[in-house]
Amino acid sequence: MFVIAELALSSPTLVMTPTIEANPSARVCIQFQPAMDPERRRFFVLVEGGDFDAFDDALADDYTVAEPTVLAEQDGVRMYRLGLSEDVIAVTPTVTELGGMVLEMYSTGGLWLVKLQVPDRDALAAFREFCLDSGIEYQLERLYRTEPTRSDDHGLTDQQRRTLLTAAREGYFDVPRSISQAELAENLGVSDSAVSQRVRRAVAALIEGTLHTDEPPDSRA
């Protein structure tokens, strides 16, 4: 069984703290947490609500991030790609070292709400100690146990999940791409065709698992 912990974290050294404090009505959700590359220190966020002009102004002055880029915008939601500055504290690598993973991380009222999955209470205690040693205010909101599940993977196999996360981390989905399909295949140690098949099947599984429609197949554009 795993331990699931829901936490409220705050610190000037946490990523995007100046921006979320200046824009408490905006909801910022960090994406692709398992794919964050500690060396390239790049990540993605979805932002909804609030004033995007004010948000961008705060982001431009935010000392915790670098090179903010708007990747897409639709229906009042924006996706950004951001780099981490050198001095910012990233919690994901520490959680990974403890054998856990970040399930969710989103802002509310200028704070970060974080949902973690860790192997046991000892791992959670170690993460709490890391936060306190790093000057991060730590508040446990909820704690419970759960059986191992892959329901959050929306039907992806381990190979498909690893392929998508690696592709996102290395910039395969960027426009223009930061890595070719051949380079991605070499990174994963598989053939070009295997990468192509995994990506197509993974995207199909994500669509099936996350997008719901009552339209019959013949009526879809």
Side-chain angles (χ1 to χ4, degrees):
M1 297 184 72
F2 293 119
V3 172
I4 304 295
E6 297 178 7
L7 314 168
L9 304 180
S10 63
S11 169
T13 56
L14 283 176
V15 66
M16 295 185 71
T17 291
T19 299
I20 64 174
E21 287 183 346
N23 296 269
S25 62
R27 187 178 190 274
V28 181
C29 182
I30 294 184
Q31 304 289 295
F32 306 125
Q33 280 291 298
M36 185 182 290
D37 185 332
E39 293 184 359
R40 297 181 68 176
R41 296 175 67 84
R42 185 177 63 184
F43 67 108
F44 304 84
V45 298
L46 286 179
V47 182
E48 58 182 320
D51 181 340
F52 281 129
D53 289 338
F55 187 89
D56 288 345
D57 287 343
L59 198 58
D61 294 330
D62 193 329
Y63 54 82
T64 68
V65 299
E67 300 179 351
T69 303
V70 178
L71 298 180
E73 180 175 355
Q74 184 175 6
D75 299 329
V77 179
R78 277 187 182 179
M79 174 174 278
Y80 292 79
R81 183 181 65 220
L82 305 166
L84 292 176
S85 67
E86 291 299 322
D87 298 326
V88 73
I89 296 177
V91 300
T92 302
T94 299
V95 175
T96 302
E97 289 173 4
L98 294 171
M101 62 187 301
V102 178
L103 301 178
E104 291 183 86
M105 186 168 178
Y106 60 92
S107 70
T108 180
L111 300 173
W112 283 113
L113 296 185
V114 183
K115 184 176 182 180
L116 304 180
Q117 174 183 290
V118 289
D120 49 41
R121 287 177 176 266
D122 289 342
L124 182 61
F127 180 71
R128 179 179 182 275
E129 183 176 355
F130 159 78
C131 289
L132 297 180
D133 289 345
S134 302
I136 299 172
E137 293 187 18
Y138 174 107
Q139 177 66 45
L140 178 62
E141 300 290 337
R142 189 183 178 201
L143 181 67
Y144 54 96
R145 293 183 178 273
T146 184
E147 294 288 347
T149 177
R150 300 308 297 268
S151 61
D152 289 339
D153 286 345
H154 305 293
L156 296 179
T157 67
D158 288 340
Q159 288 182 336
Q160 291 168 352
R161 182 174 183 274
R162 177 170 174 254
T163 298
L164 282 189
L165 293 177
T166 303
R169 182 187 67 210
E170 298 296 335
Y172 181 75
F173 300 114
D174 292 355
V175 180
R177 285 177 175 171
S178 301
I179 186 173
S180 68
Q181 182 171 295
E183 292 170 329
L184 180 60
E186 183 178 357
N187 187 318
L188 292 166
V190 298
S191 66
D192 285 11
S193 61
V195 166
S196 177
Q197 291 175 15
R198 286 184 192 178
V199 170
R200 289 201 307 270
R201 290 172 180 170
V203 170
L206 287 175
I207 292 173
E208 182 69 22
T210 59
L211 302 179
H212 305 282
T213 177
D214 295 327
E215 294 179 357
D218 291 343
S219 68
R220 298 175 194 169

